[in-house]
Amino acid sequence: MTQHRNDTRTALVVLAHHRSDSLTAHTARRTTAQLEAAGYRVDLLDLHAEGFDPRMTEADQPDWGNREKTYSREVRDHMRRVLEADVVVAVFPVYWQSVPAVLKGWIDRVWNYGFAYGRSKPRLAGKRMLWLALAGAAADDPVTEGMHSLLEANLSEGIAYYCGFSHSQVGLLPDAEDRPQRVDAEGNLLVGDAVSGAEREAQYADFDRRAREFVEKFLAHEAVPV
């Protein structure tokens, strides 16, 4: 794992949601506090608040003939923030069984050729990655099992491990909506009644507990020496 001054552990928390009052933003803030309580120095990257543009540019287009290409100043700054982190935690809502466009674009532009991949020893080797994915589907909806498998294959295997991370896992958090959602055997979306009051508070408390447990399990996982 990357060593820092005084052996301080560092974490980059990446928030991918356009609303600061969202459950996703709330989860990112609680995760930041949990990491700090565990002794991490945390860099909270709010992609929307910082105005990150997820669209690929000519300046940041990979040059397959030059892995030493100098990318834009914005991207180089984000690369530095990733490089300085021992662990990276992305917090995002699940859109169409995947990540939101702003997070995908951040990966496209920042986790670029010559930096995150394209070298015999990746510069990100030994880091650890947690993907906290908030889903509107109900926990007992069979779709959540396939959703988790797809996210693991795409994010952990297809991205994190490919870029040299020693450990990556997806923490899927269903029941993120106040109205339970399920898809029946015929493909119909079934939306239940909204919960409120004490029942809603209990739902929030359970959601926070599950998110906290994912982070605790992730932090307890020993990094694999590289």
Side-chain angles (χ1 to χ4, degrees), residues 9 40 128 167 169 213-223:
R9 297 171 296 178
Y40 283 81
R128 294 180 291 153
H167 176 66
Q169 68 185 69
E213 288 178 352
F214 273 129
V215 176
E216 289 175 350
K217 180 180 178 181
F218 172 74
L219 294 181
H221 188 280
E222 292 293 335

Side-chain angles (χ1 to χ4, degrees), residues 125-211:
K127 299 182 185 297
R128 294 180 291 153
M129 182 84 207
L130 174 63
W131 311 84
L132 284 179
L134 285 73
D140 60 356
D141 188 331
V143 74
T144 58
E145 183 177 352
M147 182 186 297
H148 184 263
S149 296
L150 186 59
L151 290 170
E152 279 285 6
N154 181 25
L155 303 177
S156 289
E157 298 174 21
I159 297 177
Y161 291 145
Y162 184 74
C163 294
F165 281 73
S166 63
H167 176 66
S168 175
Q169 68 185 69
V170 173
L172 182 61
L173 294 162
D175 292 315
E177 299 287 348
D178 60 351
R179 295 165 63 93
Q181 301 178 18
R182 297 175 178 80
V183 177
D184 66 16
E186 298 179 352
N188 300 308
L189 176 63
L190 306 178
V191 181
D193 295 331
V195 298
S196 60
E199 186 179 358
R200 182 57 171 159
E201 290 300 319
Q203 182 177 338
Y204 272 128
D206 182 67
F207 187 92
D208 286 343
R209 176 191 58 78
R210 289 184 284 124

Side-chain angles (χ1 to χ4, degrees), residues 45-68:
L45 168 56
D46 185 333
L47 293 172
H48 282 278
E50 295 195 17
F52 182 81
D53 188 345
R55 296 173 297 180
M56 180 58 73
T57 66
E58 183 175 344
D60 296 320
Q61 180 179 347
D63 182 349
W64 307 117
N66 177 21
R67 70 180 185 184
E68 307 299 335

Side-chain angles (χ1 to χ4, degrees), residues 104-117:
K104 178 60 165 61
W106 181 71
I107 293 170
D108 289 345
R109 289 185 63 200
V110 178
W111 296 33
N112 217 322
Y113 177 66
F115 171 69
Y117 64 97

Side-chain angles (χ1 to χ4, degrees), residues 46-96:
D46 185 333
L47 293 172
H48 282 278
E50 295 195 17
F52 182 81
D53 188 345
R55 296 173 297 180
M56 180 58 73
T57 66
E58 183 175 344
D60 296 320
Q61 180 179 347
D63 182 349
W64 307 117
N66 177 21
R67 70 180 185 184
E68 307 299 335
K69 175 178 178 176
T70 300
Y71 294 103
S72 68
R73 179 177 297 180
E74 178 186 28
V75 162
R76 294 200 310 272
D77 180 61
H78 282 261
M79 287 177 172
R80 174 188 56 78
R81 294 168 78 171
V82 175
L83 200 60
E84 290 179 349
D86 296 311
V87 301
V88 180
V89 181
V91 188
F92 60 94
V94 177
Y95 289 171
W96 296 111

